[in-house]
Amino acid sequence: MPIHSRSFQAFTVSGIPEVHPGDSLIQHVTTALEQAGEQLHNGDIVVVAQKIVSKAEGRYLELSDVQPGMEALDWAEKTGKDPRLVQAILDESACVLRWRPNLLVVEHLRGWVMANAGADQSNIVGADGNRVLLLPKDPDASAKNLRLGLEAHFGVRIGVVVADSVGRAWRVGTVGLALGASGVRTVDDIRGKLDMQGRELKVSIVGTGDEIAAAANMLIGEAAEGTPVAVLRGLNLLDDNQIGADLVRPSADDLFR
């Protein structure tokens, strides 16, 4: 059987302005695409940086409003972190899994294992060390709302992924992670399929949503790129039955906690 080459196209959406609480990301994305002479096509996957989703949803926390409790004070002493920030992290967490100076690795309330519960102070206008941006409350719902708005505007069927950058155990550096998704295949269970030698795959499950997020993050960037939205075209990965939460491994199945 001949092996056919495969490819996909990816590009950032330029012209997205600084996002403020209450802003419509649907409007921002449609305007930026149209000003660039672009349209969304059937099958496109729009990947949006978590940070602008959180900003639009007003997920800011002023540390001056936070009163740290005893647990936060204890962790602050161990880690050397601001007790108010520690309290913000604990409020977003189910439990603390690991720690070292200036770092808490936690299980987020939505099941993700990550540093500092995703509480972030980078690229926040007027932060001055007192403002923290938290993750979206329900990134799957955020992805669905954006998808429905973009589909209605352009008259196409697409998928949307809300992506964040996270570190990984045993590996250096951060990669893109699909916190939320709508209309996209996020988990591809290929158990039962055959490899090139005809052997049946027994344990292979592909984290497709995270691979989409990681591919887009190569363009979206991590610092001052100013391109928080990317479009991936040609992947043939639309799926109305999966969401980002499907990528979270239940703690009972985690051999490493």
Side-chain angles (χ1 to χ4, degrees):
M1 179 182 297
I3 297 175
H4 300 287
S5 64
R6 294 176 290 170
S7 65
F8 69 92
Q9 179 185 1
F11 60 92
T12 54
V13 180
S14 60
I16 303 292
E18 177 64 32
V19 175
H20 303 283
D23 281 4
S24 168
L25 293 184
I26 298 168
Q27 185 64 53
H28 282 325
V29 175
T30 55
T31 298
L33 281 168
E34 289 172 349
Q35 287 180 344
E38 293 282 357
Q39 297 280 324
L40 292 180
H41 298 178
N42 277 313
D44 283 354
I45 299 173
V46 178
V47 181
V48 184
Q50 159 272 318
K51 187 158 291 182
I52 65 169
V53 176
S54 291
K55 288 180 176 180
E57 296 177 357
R59 291 287 286 155
Y60 290 105
L61 179 67
E62 304 294 335
L63 293 181
S64 57
D65 296 332
V66 177
Q67 182 63 45
M70 292 302 298
E71 183 181 5
L73 293 171
D74 180 50
W75 281 117
E77 183 176 357
K78 292 177 180 177
T79 61
K81 298 178 75 67
D82 184 329
R84 303 169 302 169
L85 178 57
V86 172
Q87 185 63 59
I89 293 168
L90 294 179
D91 289 343
E92 292 287 300
S93 304
C95 61
V96 176
L97 299 175
R98 300 287 189 274
W99 70 276
R100 64 165 172 74
N102 200 38
L103 176 67
L104 289 168
V105 176
V106 302
E107 179 185 333
H108 191 277
L109 293 173
R110 300 195 68 86
W112 312 303
V113 173
M114 53 177 43
N116 301 324
D120 194 1
Q121 293 179 292
S122 64
N123 284 322
I124 300 175
V125 175
D128 296 328
N130 187 57
R131 175 177 288 182
V132 176
L133 189 66
L134 305 176
L135 298 180
K137 281 186 175 295
D138 187 347
D140 284 321
S142 303
K144 182 178 180 179
N145 290 337
L146 182 56
R147 176 180 65 81
L148 293 176
L150 293 175
E151 286 182 334
H153 183 89
F154 289 104
V156 295
R157 181 170 175 252
I158 64 167
V160 171
V161 169
V162 176
D164 195 12
S165 298
V166 298
R168 304 149 296 160
W170 307 297
R171 304 290 289 179
V172 173
T174 62
V175 297
L177 184 86
L179 295 186
S182 179
V184 176
R185 186 185 312 158
T186 55
V187 178
D188 195 1
D189 188 344
I190 59 175
R191 291 174 294 184
K193 293 186 177 181
L194 304 180
D195 68 10
M196 293 182 66
Q197 283 71 46
R199 290 188 293 265
E200 181 180 349
L201 300 175
K202 300 290 187 180
V203 297
S204 299
I205 300 175
V206 181
T208 310
D210 287 341
E211 292 192 324
I212 292 169
N217 255 27
M218 293 288 289
L219 299 180
I220 287 174
E222 302 285 352
E225 292 83 359
T227 51
V229 179
V231 177
L232 275 58
R233 181 167 293 161
L235 284 174
N236 191 28
L237 288 173
L238 298 194
D239 191 317
D240 291 330
N241 299 310
Q242 297 186 358
I243 58 177
D246 295 331
L247 283 159
V248 177
R249 187 192 302 276
S251 57
D253 296 338
D254 191 335
L255 299 177
F256 303 101
R257 295 193 196 181

